[in-house]
Amino acid sequence: MKQNHEILPLIEAMMQYDQRDVVPFDVPGHKHGRGTKELVDFFGEKVMRIDVNSMKCLDNIGNPVGVIKEAQQLMADAYDADHAFFLTNGTSSGVQAMIMSACQAGDKVILPRNAHKSAINALILGGITPVYVQPEMNTRLGIAMGVTVEKIKEAIALHPDAKAVFLINPTYYGAASALKDITQLCHKHDMAVLVDEAHGAHLHFHDELPMSAMEAGADMSAVSLHKTGGSLTQSSALLLKGDIIDKDRVKTILNLTTSTSASYLLMASLDGARKILATRGEKMLTDTLELSRSARAEINEIEGLYAFSTELIDAHGVYAFDETKLSINVTGIGLTGFEVYDILRDEYNIQMELGDINNVLAIISLGDTKEALCALVSALKDISVKYKKPEFDCQVKPLKNPEVVIIPRDAFYMQKKILPLADSVGEIAGEYIMAYPPGIPVLSPGERITKEIIDYIEVLKTQKSVLTDNHDPSGEFIKVLKHNNVSSIAI
């Protein structure tokens, strides 16, 4: 029987604490904002008064036994999970906890190479070996989609000793794999199924959206409620179902990296977002889908623009599609997605989620309005006339999986040297290079550098894309491994 999702245990406890007007001799040091007038003026007195630290009446995230435990149980119930853990360091911390809970040092995990950098970080932290599967590529749009059941089956056949399979549901652009079929396949081989649902926190609450990980029978998923569920930035939840993965091990792994001073503002926002999704989510998402579908139809009437959607569903990596991802291919108006992204922001005061070589992406969620979507459609119509050039045909295609020469952890700790990027073909990367958003590495430590990869990075640089995680922000130089350390650790 479903629990009562009208209640807000953590928020109510924080309200009661605030009403008591406690005299604070604990941290935080701003003392309910009295010591920081500028912050009170900016954030408001209420926020500063409820920015508190762990105390008995408010429970402790490291070992919750009170209101945090109750709020987490409600979160688990909302998603049809057995257990839920609040995350105040984003879904990145949840992804790391999933992989490190299912795998130990030396174990293998099967995953698509278009995974977020947090998955690669988990491999470094845990000493885990990646087995990459190639996601399906849409060459027209220039992006990676989902993975097929066949590709997972092939990887399992080649690596029957793998402990887990890691999936993305949905991809940044909205493509969902056949998650239920893959989960059943993995369980037949005693492999745990871990799902990055950073962009799928809303899926569970509407039947016209792709199936959620918990509904598909996955063992764990990490959901970014702050992205599509309404909570504050950096707040997420880790969901656990079944007994393949021990919940006490999950809690132990989380406590390795979670702050002992987790933000109560972020945790309270998870409590509130859960109530909204569980009690009003279906109606709100119906309205959200209607807005997205209407805008998509109008955009597809603009010559040169293509807002792709459910027509991509086929047997090749797109089993379902999340229509709240309003992805628009702009090559038909002769511009790159990077250019359209900048024009929308600088000239129309419209902030898109991302631009890539061929596309721009708008996330349509619970807080969007008809007026906002009308402004976007109007701006795109204007841009298609004012800026149109001959159709853009990028010669750089989506990258295929690079060769993993050294496992990420070993490569991370090995000695390195610095070379010009242009002279690094054949070398082994000693650091990440990626564009953010979306935070998917173009190169990770331990991977062979090819001319195709360098060409791709050069295109990112010419488009003034924000390169992150590499030591040289300009992308002119790269850290590579010293060759005399490589041969004995190759996999």
Side-chain angles (χ1 to χ4, degrees):
M1 187 175 70
K2 278 286 183 182
Q3 298 184 34
N4 177 14
H5 284 283
E6 294 290 346
I7 62 173
L8 295 161
L10 183 54
I11 288 178
E12 289 165 4
M14 292 174 68
M15 290 171 62
Q16 291 171 11
Y17 171 84
D18 184 41
Q19 291 165 3
R20 288 171 55 192
D21 201 21
V22 171
V23 178
F25 286 105
D26 61 347
V27 294
H30 59 68
K31 306 292 178 166
H32 297 174
R34 288 194 289 271
T36 50
K37 178 181 182 299
E38 289 82 358
L39 296 184
V40 173
D41 291 344
F42 183 70
F43 290 115
E45 183 179 352
K46 183 73 170 181
V47 169
M48 300 303 293
R49 284 182 62 85
I50 61 174
D51 178 37
V52 293
N53 198 19
S54 301
M55 59 191 73
K56 188 174 291 186
C57 64
L58 295 180
D59 209 358
N60 188 297
I61 196 173
N63 190 28
V65 295
V67 289
I68 294 176
K69 179 180 179 180
E70 186 179 354
Q72 290 184 154
Q73 288 171 335
L74 285 164
M75 183 71 77
D77 185 72
Y79 280 96
D80 291 327
D82 294 333
H83 306 280
F85 304 85
F86 283 177
L87 306 173
T88 58
N89 195 28
T91 294
S92 293
S93 63
V95 166
Q96 292 168 8
M98 284 195 297
I99 294 175
M100 293 171 67
S101 295
C103 303
Q104 299 185 33
D107 286 344
K108 296 177 183 176
V109 61
I110 297 169
L111 71 166
R113 182 53 179 76
N114 60 329
H116 187 263
K117 75 169 186 177
S118 56
I120 316 298
N121 286 344
L123 307 181
I124 293 173
L125 291 170
I128 298 160
T129 300
V131 175
Y132 289 126
V133 291
Q134 178 66 50
E136 299 303 298
M137 314 300 286
N138 187 308
T139 54
R140 177 191 175 189
L141 301 175
I143 56 177
M145 310 306 279
V147 295
T148 63
V149 177
E150 289 70 25
K151 288 283 179 66
I152 298 296
K153 189 178 295 185
E154 291 172 8
I156 290 174
L158 291 170
H159 301 275
D161 55 338
K163 290 295 190 295
V165 174
F166 179 88
L167 301 166
I168 306 165
N169 188 53
T171 66
Y172 220 136
Y173 298 92
S177 303
L179 190 57
K180 188 171 185 177
D181 293 342
I182 293 173
T183 298
Q184 291 174 347
L185 170 68
C186 296
H187 284 170
K188 287 180 181 177
H189 292 271
D190 297 322
M191 296 181 186
V193 178
L194 319 173
V195 184
D196 177 354
E197 285 191 312
H199 289 274
H202 58 302
L203 299 183
H204 196 76
F205 301 96
H206 203 285
D207 289 342
E208 294 178 35
L209 293 169
M211 183 180 292
S212 71
M214 291 296 99
E215 187 180 0
D219 301 289
M220 295 188 77
S221 71
V223 292
S224 290
L225 278 93
H226 71 93
K227 284 184 167 68
T228 59
S231 66
L232 295 180
T233 294
Q234 206 169 304
S235 60
S236 298
L238 183 59
L239 307 173
L240 173 63
K241 193 169 189 174
D243 56 6
I244 290 180
I245 298 173
D246 178 53
K247 66 179 176 60
D248 291 330
R249 176 171 171 80
V250 176
K251 187 171 76 170
T252 300
I253 296 294
L254 283 172
N255 282 337
L256 288 175
T257 55
T258 297
S259 171
T260 54
S261 301
S263 168
Y264 276 79
L265 294 173
L266 298 185
M267 288 190 287
S269 77
L270 288 169
D271 199 21
R274 179 270 312 158
K275 174 187 174 180
I276 292 166
L277 288 170
T279 61
R280 308 196 300 277
E282 184 176 10
K283 171 63 170 65
M284 296 177 76
L285 286 166
T286 295
D287 295 341
T288 301
L289 283 166
E290 184 178 331
L291 286 174
S292 185
R293 288 165 177 166
S294 177
R296 183 176 274 108
E298 288 191 65
I299 292 168
N300 281 329
E301 293 295 321
I302 303 173
E303 186 177 356
L305 297 184
Y306 170 40
F308 48 93
S309 183
T310 55
E311 72 280 356
L312 297 182
I313 294 174
D314 57 16
H316 304 291
V318 189
Y319 181 82
F321 189 86
D322 177 8
E323 295 178 79
T324 68
K325 306 297 187 290
L326 184 55
S327 302
I328 307 158
N329 185 274
V330 299
T331 55
I333 60 173
L335 301 175
T336 67
F338 296 116
E339 291 172 317
V340 174
Y341 175 96
D342 287 342
I343 293 169
L344 283 167
R345 181 195 60 218
D346 297 340
E347 299 189 25
Y348 296 89
N349 205 31
I350 293 174
Q351 181 62 56
M352 301 295 274
E353 171 66 15
L354 69 78
D356 63 26
I357 294 172
N358 299 307
N359 312 283
V360 288
L361 169 63
I363 302 291
I364 314 303
S365 60
L366 307 179
D368 279 300
T369 64
K370 184 176 181 179
E371 291 73 22
L373 271 298
C374 286
L376 174 60
V377 172
S378 177
L380 289 170
K381 287 178 180 177
D382 201 32
I383 291 170
S384 71
V385 174
K386 288 173 60 176
Y387 292 93
K388 186 171 184 178
K389 298 187 291 189
E391 184 166 349
F392 172 71
D393 181 20
C394 179
Q395 297 302 309
V396 178
K397 303 304 179 186
L399 295 173
K400 292 186 177 181
N401 290 349
E403 176 192 359
V404 180
V405 183
I406 306 293
I407 66 169
R409 184 181 196 172
D410 290 342
F412 182 84
Y413 285 108
M414 289 172 66
Q415 289 187 327
K416 302 169 182 69
K417 61 184 179 181
I418 296 174
L419 290 179
L421 179 66
D423 297 338
S424 65
V425 173
E427 302 285 346
I428 301 169
E431 63 177 344
Y432 288 111
I433 294 185
M434 70 186 79
Y436 187 86
I440 296 170
V442 177
L443 265 177
S444 293
E447 295 175 350
R448 183 82 66 188
I449 303 171
T450 64
K451 183 178 185 304
E452 290 74 23
I453 290 173
I454 293 174
D455 289 344
Y456 192 90
I457 294 169
E458 291 298 337
V459 170
L460 294 177
K461 287 159 56 179
T462 61
Q463 295 298 320
K464 298 182 174 59
S465 181
V466 178
L467 298 179
T468 66
D469 287 52
N470 46 310
H471 84 284
D472 175 19
S474 71
E476 295 298 318
F477 294 87
I478 184 172
K479 288 183 179 179
V480 300
L481 303 188
K482 289 189 175 181
H483 280 273
N484 59 1
N485 294 313
V486 169
S487 58
S488 62
I489 313 178
I491 60 173

